[in-house]
């Protein structure tokens, strides 16, 4: 995929720990990592994600329902943000986890302490990391600007 000039993403750091995130970064030319939350287990991996600008597609409800974390209160979403890592809120498998992107934003607000400004920043990070052409990115950027 990478040799064809397409951007790459991979799942890591969900069931396996921070080592799986590091391994993904060592082995694959990824720009995004699905989940990646267990990177918090290693400060060097956190620093590497921030330094290399790798975006994490974080799915709080999935992580809580699969018992990766026992609650939203201890979910490391804010720790990842505080470490300077680009993160977005995602729904993983919406029918299975009975969630939507909108619900993930509501959970981030009501259970994880994020305010509207934080949520806009997260949307901006998601847009910057989106695998879309520049015209589509600009179109979405206008919608985000209009909504805020």
């Amino acid at each position: 995929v990478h040799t064809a000039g397409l951007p790459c993403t991979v799942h890591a750091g969900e069931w396996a720990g921070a080592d799986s995130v590091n391994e993904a970064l060592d082995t694959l030319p990824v720009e995004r990592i699905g989940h990646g939350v267990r990177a918090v287990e290693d400060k060097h991996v956190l620093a590497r994600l921030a330094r290399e600008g790798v975006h994490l597609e974080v799915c709080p409800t999935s992580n809580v329902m699969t018992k990766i974390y026992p609650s939203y209160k201890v979910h490391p979403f804010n720790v990842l943000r505080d470490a300077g890592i680009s993160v977005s809120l995602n729904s993983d498998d919406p029918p299975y986890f009975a969630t939507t992107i909108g619900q993930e934003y509501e959970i981030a607000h009501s259970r994880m302490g994020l305010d509207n400004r934080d949520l806009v920043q997260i949307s901006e990070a998601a847009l910057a990391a989106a695998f879309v052409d520049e015209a589509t990115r600009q179109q979405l950027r206008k919608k985000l600007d209009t909504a805020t």
Side-chain angles (χ1 to χ4, degrees):
V1 170
H2 176 70
T3 57
L6 299 171
C8 299
T9 186
V10 65
H11 274 215
E14 178 184 22
W15 291 102
D19 287 345
S20 70
V21 174
N22 210 39
E23 183 179 355
L25 295 171
D26 286 344
T27 329
L28 303 166
V30 296
E31 297 174 29
R32 295 188 331 214
I33 292 179
H35 297 283
V37 291
R38 293 194 50 203
V40 298
E41 297 169 2
D42 185 326
K43 65 181 181 181
H44 300 291
V45 175
L46 285 177
R48 183 175 182 188
L49 287 166
R51 182 177 62 252
E52 295 181 15
V54 176
H55 179 86
L56 299 183
E57 307 158 355
V58 182
C59 310
T61 295
S62 168
N63 297 155
V64 170
M65 290 184 76
T66 58
K67 304 200 184 322
I68 305 285
Y69 295 101
S71 70
Y72 296 106
K73 184 176 182 175
V74 299
H75 191 282
F77 189 82
N78 289 321
V79 173
L80 295 165
R81 286 186 75 223
D82 292 344
I85 297 167
S86 174
V87 293
S88 57
L89 289 163
N90 299 271
S91 56
D92 203 6
D93 187 348
Y96 185 77
F97 294 112
T99 190
T100 64
I101 295 292
Q103 287 171 323
E104 294 299 311
Y105 272 74
E106 176 54 35
I107 287 165
H109 172 69
S110 64
R111 298 187 186 185
M112 298 165 79
L114 298 171
D115 62 23
N116 287 341
R117 183 172 171 248
D118 295 322
L119 297 175
V120 168
Q121 288 173 345
I122 291 163
S123 295
E124 290 170 341
L127 183 54
F131 293 161
V132 296
D133 60 59
E134 196 53 38
T136 302
R137 188 180 325 277
Q138 291 305 319
Q139 208 172 30
L140 293 169
R141 176 81 233 174
K142 285 180 187 174
K143 286 184 179 187
L144 180 59
D145 289 343
T146 302
T148 55

